[in-house]
Amino acid sequence: MINLTIDNQQIEAEEGKTLLAAATLAGIDIPTLCYHPAVPSAGACRICVVEITGGGQPGLVPACAYPVQEGLEIQTESERVVASRRMTLALMLARSPGATIIQEMAQEYGAEPVPMDKGDDDCIMCGLCVRVCQDVIGQSAVCFEGRGHERKITTPYDKQSEVCLGCGACAFICPTGAIDPADYCPHPLETIPNDFNCGLDTRTPIHIPFPQAVPNKPLIDRENCIHFITGGCEACKQICPADAIDFDMTDEYVTEKVGAIVVATGYELFNPDVYAEYGYGRYPDVVTSIEFERMVSASGPTTGELVRPSTGKPPKTVVFLQCIGSRREQGGLPYCSKICCMYTAKHAILYKHKVHDGQAFVFYMDVRSGGKNYEQFVRRVIKEQMATYLRGRVAKIFPSDGKLIVRGADTLSGTQVEIAAEMVVLAPAMVPAAGIRNLAQTLRIGYDEHGFLLEAHPKLRPVETNTAGVFLAGACHSPKDIPDSVAQASAAASKVLGLISHQTLTREPTIGIVDEETCNACFECEGACAYGAIGPKELKDRKGEVTAVVAYINEGLCQGCGACAVTCRSKSIEVQGYRDDQLFAAINATGR
Amino acid sequence: MARMGVFICWCGSNIAETVDCESVAQYASTLPGVVVGRSYKYMCSDPGQRLITDAIKEHNLSGVVVASCSPRMHEPTFRQAVATVGMNPYMLEMANIREHCSWVHTNRAEATEKAKDLVRVLVEKVKRNVPLADIEVPVTQRAMVIGAGIAGIQAALDVAAAGFEVALVERQPSIGGYMSMLDETFPTLDCSQCILTPRMVEIMQSKNITLHSFSEVEQVEGYVGNFEVSIRKKPRSVDMEKCTGCGDCWNNCMARNKIIAPSPVLPGEHTPPEVAEKVDAILATYTDPSGMVIGALQDVQREFNYLHPDALVYLSEKSEIPLARLYSVASFYNAFSLEPRGDNIIRTCLGTACHLRGGGRIADAISRELGIGDGETTKDMKFTLERVNCLGACALAPVVTVNNKYYGKMTIGKMMDVLEERAGQDAGQPQEQPQEATAV
Amino acid sequence: MAVATQLRTPEDLANLREQAATRRESKRMAIAICCGTGCRAQGSMDLVEEFRSRLEAEGLSDVEVRATGCHGFCERGPLVVIYPKEIFYCGVQDTDVADIVDKSIKGDELVESLLFRDPVSKNRFHLEHEVPFYAKQQRIVFRNNGKIDPVVISDYIAVDGYVALAKALTQMTPEAVIDEVEKSGLRGRGGGGFPTGRKWRICHGQPGDQKYIICNGDEGDPGAFMDRSIMEGDPHSVLEGMTIGAYAIGASRAYMYVRAEYPLAVANLEIALEQSRALGLLGEDIFGSGFSFDVEIVRGAGAFVCGEETGLISSIQGDIGSPRQRPPYPAESGLWDKPTNINNVETWANIPVIIDRGADWFASVGTEKSKGTKVFSLVGKVQNTGLVEVPMGTTLREIVYDIGGGILKKRKFKAVQTGGPSGGCIPEAMLDLPVDFEKLRDVGAMMGSGGLIVMDERTCMVDVAKYFLAFLVDESCGKCTPCREGLFQMHAILSRITEGRGREGDIELLQRLAAYVGESSLCQLGGTAPNPVLSTIRYFRDEYEAHIDHKRCPAGVCTSLVNFGIDSEACKGCGLCLKDCPTEAISGEKKAPHRIDETVCVQCGVCYEACPFDAITVE
């Protein structure tokens, strides 16, 4: 540890740290421009100069690049320091009069305008972009050209750089916003969509899923992380104060022993882009209901302000379309998604809350509002004219004059209607979560043609499955709203508790047993057993030495089907209660 | 010796309408080893059950056959009944004369015969039954919940609240599911996150819940009460123990866009072979690529009379030194030219001594004469003018060199003569000589 | 080259020296022809050829023709010295060869017309050491220049070359070498004046197996060329110094960074390296001491900033020559992050003498704090330009007047500029200043690498300041704001002053900017860049004021402020001005007063320079 004094404050700092790091740790603020903690310091812009007043060669040194030394005495705001910063800013202002951050800092430091030759380049030549590209990203797409005052930032031969990853680090790190990677990258730049906000905004490869996520810790999306693509960039690792970044992590396997399993894998939304007539994916103002949720959410990408994606202005007319994919025998799903009628009514209310003079229309097939207070809720929406309900389907949506023309039928009046909408919200069908079939097979439980998991009995055992000990909760079973999901979850929990609150479980004894005397350990039975109940067992003598290996039938797993018994060539397996002599006697007794 | 009892159920009219139950009972009593045969309207009813238990006690029965509905329906009922009077439940079996007989037949006589057959068969089997004991399987008193949306969260919390451990597996990096994305919920319009987040936090706080986020179920083995579930925990690349969630990493993440990984280039793929050949020859003279940059660039410039772009690209590809660095270096040093240069490279010295003795005027005069500025080349590629900051021949000030030939104590007049002489020479003639100063 | 026998012991070296010396002495006479860049440019290589063929034709096999390094007096080249008598001929052309051979080789006569004639006293001098240019010099660094052929190693060995190395390696410990150098008081000749021994000791004390030595031959100061002459004329002295230094410091590898503008230096050094390796003076286990060492030449590519140590290192590593913030100093973390010791050419060349003749002898030369000699390149508006080596403490007046022969064309002395672009201008009042590191610094100049530029009354000091700033703006690497932007703005201000657009307050603004650039810049290029401006303002403020307040350039240099005319009284009609005028603005008949057409004149000043009668007037 090194002791030094910064602004008359005694400070301890680790050897090798810079004055800037030591000061920051002590809560002393030093302005910087060409500095970023993940990038090697250059000491180029000279904004962070501080004065050595004792303990070393007196003078101005850049805090970002000067190492701490025993006994140094530093002043960070001395007259000399301030005068130097003032002149630095005056010179930067002369070069880059348009750079906002320079204007602000110049004002803060009272850098008076000096009669100088003026430039018009926002680039203050701090070189962060070059350093980040070379030293952090590891690509060297941008570089300096020339030297001195003629120096500029460019790519070789001013051509778009073949090595540019398009990552945008240069623009991110530029203090004045002077660089645009689109100028340098030969490929169109594409941001990383933020799934939590349905791609309505962007995120970085290392991210937390959303602000209130649990656990509230970040993760790296390896598909987009520079380090995992090129082996370069370790900025997060450099920066992490807790040294928590671990690029070497691999899949980790853990085994949990449990007595019961609840499957609650939920649902996804049907992708409406298969229906060309609705224009989803083509017209930015056609959105899905979950996107609409994010758009009106205070934690969403627009912090709750509902705007048209195309214009950024609030939509004055919104058309809601129910049953997108659901209740559609041809080219869709035959079942009712159950929740769409209700949330569309809710959306109409939310819309009215956001856009008071807005006009909402709902195209529906039937309004299904079974549930406590549900019907009253929908009634309220209709009665209070929060939305105009039109019974019928929409045939086509097409853009015209900055709006979307929604053409559909009002079957109640028997007329065709056309609505010039500024936004269209689709209510897609609920479908089981992706991968549900694999999971069902792993758990040996059934699923229907759509992938919804099968209960053991539709009436009497709605939370159980055909596999003992596996239970269902929520929308993995069928479309459900929140209260239904929660109710089923609690039901499943009680079933689980009924099972695991006992230390043992009783099973019928009608299972296979092996005659260990005659078993010749051919293990044909093992292959025949559909339940994986048969395995080898070592027989040991009194000394504990293995004398023989025989087939062993796990009592818990054996279903008593008898496949092993008929497979066994040495006739060493019989099923209790269904022994051969019993069955032969029974057959003989048929008397025919 | 077996002492069997056979009990025929009418199942109201379900069986009795098609099967003559009483005659089957009669017939059963005649079978070897059967000591009692009875029929009754509802054998599953209390009096029916009592009929059986009483018969067991009265006749000291060793086995029982009940001919009635499917064992799926009432086998547990009857087995429990016989157990109350001390008979091993597995000494009772059921002949299914409903689903297998009365319901599927219409001819009463034939159906009755079939019922008799079924009873006879079962009697022969049960006679050979031996008492069996139920198997007790130990139970792992923990549970797993797969999926941590609101349903999974609720199930996990309920089980945990009862005092049992729960392993909660979530595929996504965070729990919460769709509900965490919702704004307000019908029909009460309460804020979705406001009611959900306390539940999510509870998951983290509960001592009974182990959360496996960003994890997937890979394999399930075992059976009810004894499952072994293998979970693949996907790598977050962040050590959850150490991470404090401070945000420095994602606030400073450098990748703001999707990455377009550059396609690998084979060295020389786009290089004219004659250029590659020359550069290869230059590279062969260097052993240590790290320190060679400036020397190699000088050699390239000597070879091509300027830094040929193809040569620079090829040099970069072969040496794996980024092109940007080569370009940067090439444009930094005065000695390098990125533009093709003329046959005659005129360097006018502007060192202090030359400046004082009018070197600048000579440079200006050449500029005027040739119509080119500093670093430029005449259109006919005859002359390139470079102003240099000291040729180190100060005693001869002002000094000019043409293709490294020194002209000392120059005047504008002498300079014009030199230009005239050089202009007369054939194009492409004397390129810049690498070697030292020669006399005038 | 024949495969030489490796020198394994000091005795081997002594034997070789004996042979070489005998061979040299076996010749009756030696004709030493200066083949430094200056003399070459004036035709000395032709002279070598001419002498050789002439002697052969005459059958004079007992006369050696020696192509030597720079003799220093470049102004009067090509120079020819005939040993053993030391007859000194200057301005020799190949047409003179026959005459010289006839008179001075075959006979015992002098060729009068080729003797040096002092422009002041008009006296002729026939021996080299009598020539005033050489008389006051003391040649330690230049001890061999002019005496030996730089591409013949035996020549160097014949004059006791590599004796010091043998001594250091076989009789001294590294610590003893460092002690000796420290005791000698030698200070870095590159400009900083840091004590060389102390520098070595710091690097010697660093942990680590791999250390590097760098010889800084990037002589970037405009107006300085002494390192060039040493590298060209006596490369082995530099290599020997470096080898001794490497032994003391514990380095096994060295880089010699030579300016690209010095092709002859590169060539001669390469030859020297090859020869040294052949003799085992470089390579493995030198003199059986177990010490191994080799040197690699790196050609610079033209960047003044590479004179800065960290810039130089970056350049050797194949990158742009941008300096980096220090600490860490190169002694701790230099080339490829290893401890690295950097000295310039002249410093290294001093080392063999110190080891050979002892620290006490060396310390007896010079002043209290500055020991030894210093080589200056005496150039500008002075009669005798060339390289001069004088003991520290010699006054500027002695250098300018006694050695330099005073100002050209008897014009008035105005200032002498030392230290290159980092230095300052010293006015007449301070001409009696004894030259050493401290004294120069005290007056706002600096030693620098030894450029000494004499300025006369026709030198505009604002223009000089502008010149240096233009140089620095061009040479700034552009990394840090003060140097890149500050110097640019200072140059802009000076430009407007010299163009007659100066404003009140510009001098103060210049001073503020200068102070700022000086203390806020990253490296010493920026740190010392304001010196020329500050020192000219300090001593020649009136010239600034004349430009700003009266819009005139007293020296007649700043073309925007000058109108040239012809004094018809003084004009003799010689036509020189007319001939040189680039725009044909001058007209007139021979032997009649000429006229300048102001509408065509571009104020280039050629006529002003050309006129031998000072007939061109300045308004």
Side-chain angles (χ1 to χ4, degrees), chain B residues 409, chain C residues 71-82 86-92 96 100 110-137 378 382-386 388 399-406 408:
Chain B
K409 298 189 179 172
Chain C
H71 293 216
F73 201 5
C74 313
E75 171 77 24
R76 296 304 173 104
L79 307 175
V80 173
V81 181
I82 297 168
E86 279 190 41
I87 301 167
F88 181 78
Y89 291 133
C90 55
V92 181
D96 301 322
I100 294 174
L110 296 172
V111 183
E112 285 287 330
S113 62
L114 297 176
L115 291 176
F116 176 73
R117 182 162 169 269
D118 185 70
V120 185
S121 62
K122 311 285 184 204
N123 294 334
R124 284 191 188 279
F125 299 88
H126 71 272
L127 296 184
E128 184 174 22
H129 63 264
E130 290 172 351
V131 175
F133 180 77
Y134 293 105
K136 283 213 169 178
Q137 294 197 41
L378 179 62
V382 66
Q383 292 277 6
N384 304 330
T385 60
V388 302
I399 297 172
V400 174
Y401 284 94
D402 300 348
I403 298 172
L408 271 177

Side-chain angles (χ1 to χ4, degrees), chain A residues 35-57:
Chain A
Y35 171 80
H36 187 276
V39 183
S41 292
C45 76
R46 311 310 270 190
I47 276 295
C48 72
V49 287
V50 295
E51 184 176 359
I52 298 180
T53 52
Q57 178 89 39

Side-chain angles (χ1 to χ4, degrees), chain B residues 218-413:
Chain B
E218 284 287 301
Q219 212 183 343
V220 179
E221 287 187 344
Y223 50 93
V224 57
N226 293 280
F227 292 108
E228 282 195 15
V229 185
S230 166
I231 298 161
R232 179 166 65 95
K233 297 182 77 116
K234 294 176 279 188
R236 292 180 81 107
S237 312
V238 171
D239 186 328
M240 303 283 274
E241 300 278 305
K242 291 180 181 170
C243 174
T244 61
C246 71
D248 282 0
C249 57
W250 69 80
N251 286 324
N252 286 297
C253 179
M254 295 297 167
R256 309 318 266 200
N257 296 317
K258 285 189 174 175
I259 305 309
I260 305 128
S263 43
V265 179
L266 286 176
E269 216 175 331
H270 308 295
T271 312
E274 65 276 12
V275 171
E277 201 177 297
K278 287 176 176 174
V279 176
D280 280 332
I282 289 167
L283 279 170
T285 61
Y286 291 91
T287 45
D288 175 14
S290 53
M292 69 161 205
V293 175
I294 289 172
L297 288 179
Q298 281 165 333
D299 295 342
V300 168
Q301 172 150 310
R302 184 186 304 160
E303 191 63 51
F304 298 94
N305 202 30
Y306 79 109
L307 291 176
H308 195 296
D310 286 342
L312 222 56
V313 168
Y314 184 64
L315 185 65
S316 160
E317 288 166 1
K318 286 288 272 194
S319 63
E320 293 181 7
I321 295 169
L323 181 63
R325 184 163 140 208
L326 295 181
Y327 185 78
S328 212
V329 167
S331 65
F332 182 87
Y333 293 99
N334 277 349
F336 297 125
S337 174
L338 289 161
E339 301 289 331
R341 297 189 297 177
D343 299 333
N344 295 288
I345 296 165
I346 306 168
R347 296 205 175 87
T348 56
C349 179
L350 294 177
T352 322
C354 293
H355 174 75
L356 291 182
R357 291 192 179 184
R361 288 191 204 110
I362 293 170
D364 290 346
I366 299 171
S367 279
R368 261 198 308 273
E369 178 69 21
L370 298 177
I372 50 173
D374 181 23
E376 292 177 2
T377 301
T378 54
K379 280 201 184 107
D380 61 3
M381 299 305 285
K382 284 236 175 208
F383 293 102
T384 297
L385 176 62
E386 291 177 1
R387 295 171 184 238
V388 297
N389 281 332
C390 189
L391 289 162
C394 313
L396 306 178
V399 178
V400 176
T401 66
V402 182
N403 289 349
N404 274 345
K405 183 168 173 177
Y406 280 69
Y407 295 88
K409 298 189 179 172
M410 282 308 271
T411 62
I412 291 173

Side-chain angles (χ1 to χ4, degrees), chain A residues 387-398:
Chain A
T388 305
Y389 270 68
L390 298 162
R391 191 170 200 270
R393 289 211 125 157
V394 167
K396 193 175 171 58
I397 296 172
F398 57 94

Side-chain angles (χ1 to χ4, degrees), chain C residues 30-78:
Chain C
I31 304 167
I33 301 150
C34 174
C35 292
T37 296
C39 288
R40 275 182 191 227
Q42 300 176 79
S44 64
M45 289 315 280
D46 294 343
L47 279 184
V48 175
E49 283 307 302
E50 190 61 31
F51 269 114
R52 287 211 169 116
S53 57
R54 190 82 202 169
L55 292 175
E56 202 180 331
E58 301 269 355
L60 296 166
S61 60
D62 56 351
V63 178
E64 185 188 351
V65 177
R66 209 177 281 157
T68 72
C70 179
H71 293 216
F73 201 5
C74 313
E75 171 77 24
R76 296 304 173 104

Side-chain angles (χ1 to χ4, degrees), chain C residues 218-238:
Chain C
D218 189 52
E219 190 172 42
D221 281 12
F225 59 107
M226 44 271 147
D227 289 350
R228 165 184 202 150
S229 292
I230 300 166
M231 288 187 284
E232 286 176 1
D234 193 10
H236 284 289
S237 68
V238 183

Side-chain angles (χ1 to χ4, degrees), chain B residues 16-187:
Chain B
E17 197 181 293
T18 320
V19 173
D20 181 353
C21 292
E22 190 45 38
S23 88
V24 177
Q26 295 285 334
Y27 168 73
S29 352
T30 65
L31 293 169
V34 174
V35 292
V36 56
R38 295 272 179 82
S39 76
Y40 185 67
K41 199 167 190 178
Y42 287 110
M43 205 59 84
C44 59
S45 65
D46 268 3
Q49 291 184 40
R50 204 172 310 119
L51 194 76
I52 297 169
T53 52
D54 286 352
I56 293 169
K57 285 189 279 189
E58 190 183 336
H59 300 284
N60 192 23
L61 296 179
S62 64
V64 172
V65 170
V66 178
S68 61
C69 56
S70 162
R72 281 260 169 234
M73 301 295 291
H74 278 304
E75 196 176 68
T77 313
F78 294 119
R79 281 189 169 167
Q80 270 169 28
V82 299
T84 58
V85 289
M87 176 180 274
N88 183 290
Y90 295 95
M91 296 308 288
L92 175 142
E93 291 203 38
M94 291 175 74
N96 185 351
I97 59 166
R98 193 175 74 175
E99 284 87 343
H100 288 178
C101 188
S102 69
W103 278 358
V104 292
H105 296 294
T106 47
N107 185 312
R108 186 172 167 87
E110 283 177 5
T112 304
E113 280 311 300
K114 181 174 178 185
K116 287 177 185 169
D117 286 350
L118 289 168
V119 167
R120 187 175 66 247
V121 164
L122 249 282
V123 166
E124 281 308 305
K125 177 174 182 279
V126 175
K127 271 164 131 176
R128 288 161 179 80
N129 276 13
V130 293
L132 297 171
D134 275 344
I135 298 166
E136 293 288 307
V137 183
V139 170
T140 307
Q141 291 181 287
R142 303 173 79 237
M144 169 171 289
V145 177
I146 302 170
I150 183 59
I153 288 172
Q154 183 65 43
L157 288 175
D158 284 353
V159 174
F164 293 94
E165 287 179 11
V166 182
L168 179 57
V169 183
E170 170 56 50
R171 180 160 65 176
Q172 299 294 333
S174 171
I175 64 172
Y178 270 106
M179 191 175 167
S180 64
M181 297 167 79
L182 305 181
D183 181 35
E184 290 168 9
T185 52
F186 63 81

